[in-house]
Amino acid sequence: MTVSAQPAVTHDAPPSVAVADTHASTEAAHGEGGGGLPQFEFQHWFGQIVWLIFLFALLYWLMAKVFVPRLRGVIDQRAATISDAVSAARQVQAEAAGQAEAAKAEVEAARASSRSMAAAAKARVTEQANARAAEEEAVVNARIAEAETAIGKTRDAAMTNVGSIASDTAAAIVERLTGKAPSAAEASAAVKGAA
C-alpha cells in the first residue's frame, strides 16, 4: 500500500474545497476503489471480538450485580406491599363483617326486647283497663242496686199510699154516686177485694 503525499490544506481555502481535499486524501490512503468497512476486514476482528467479550462481560456483571438485584428488590417490595395491603383489607373486611353480624344481632335483640316490652305494656294496660272497667262496673252496679233499692222503697211507699188513695178515691166515688159516704173499713175492703 503506497501512501501518496497529501496536499496541504490551507486555512484560507473555502470550506467546500477543504472537505473535498480531505475526502480525496482519505480515498488515496485506502487505495482507489479498494475501500470498505473496517469491521469486515480480517485484521480488525480480534480486537473487535475482545471488545465484544469485554463489553458483554461488563454488561452481564452490571445486570447481575446492580440492575437485576435492584429491580428484584423493587418487585419484591412491591409484591410485599400489595400482599400486606390485601391481607390488611381482608382483615378489615373480616372485622367489618363481624361488626355487621354483631350489629345485626344487637338489632334483633333490641327488636325482641321491644316486642316483649310492647307485649308486657299491652298486657299491663289491658289489665289496668280491665281492672278499671271492673271497678267502674262495680260502682255502677252498686249505684244501680242503690237506685233499685230506692225505687223499691219509693214504690212500696207509693203502693202503701196508693191503697189509701184508692180507698179514699173509692169512698169519694161511692159518695158521689150514692150520696152516702161509706166507712173507711168498707172502702179499704172493697179496694183490697178488687186488687
Side-chain angles (χ1 to χ4, degrees):
M1 187 172 182
T2 58
V3 177
S4 62
Q6 294 182 359
V9 178
T10 60
H11 294 290
D12 294 338
S16 62
V17 172
V19 170
D21 288 342
T22 305
H23 185 64
S25 64
T26 307
E27 285 180 2
H30 291 294
E32 289 294 324
L37 295 173
Q39 297 93 315
F40 294 129
E41 293 181 9
F42 232 10
Q43 62 192 12
H44 299 292
W45 278 16
F46 180 73
Q48 290 176 0
I49 291 172
V50 169
W51 276 106
L52 180 65
I53 292 171
F54 173 73
L55 289 176
F56 180 77
L58 179 66
L59 286 175
Y60 181 79
W61 182 81
L62 284 173
M63 290 294 282
K65 300 295 182 187
V66 178
F67 298 125
V68 172
R70 286 184 185 175
L71 187 60
R72 185 177 297 130
V74 169
I75 290 172
D76 290 344
Q77 182 181 5
R78 185 172 180 178
T81 303
I82 290 170
S83 174
D84 291 344
V86 167
S87 65
R90 285 184 180 151
Q91 182 179 2
V92 168
Q93 184 180 13
E95 289 176 3
Q99 290 176 355
E101 288 297 324
K104 187 176 179 181
E106 287 177 5
V107 167
E108 288 300 323
R111 283 183 181 165
S113 174
S114 64
R115 285 183 194 132
S116 65
M117 288 173 60
K122 183 178 179 182
R124 187 174 59 245
V125 167
T126 304
E127 183 180 321
Q128 289 175 352
N130 289 341
R132 201 174 312 132
E135 290 173 3
E136 290 175 1
E137 188 175 344
V139 169
V140 168
N141 287 339
R143 288 185 183 169
I144 289 173
E146 289 175 6
E148 285 178 353
T149 305
I151 288 170
K153 288 180 183 177
T154 305
R155 185 186 64 224
D156 291 342
M159 290 308 266
T160 57
N161 289 335
V162 167
S164 63
I165 290 172
S167 45
D168 288 345
T169 303
I173 290 173
V174 169
E175 183 181 349
R176 196 170 215 6
L177 289 175
T178 60
K180 181 173 159 186
S183 67
E186 289 175 341
S188 181
V191 169
K192 284 182 184 175

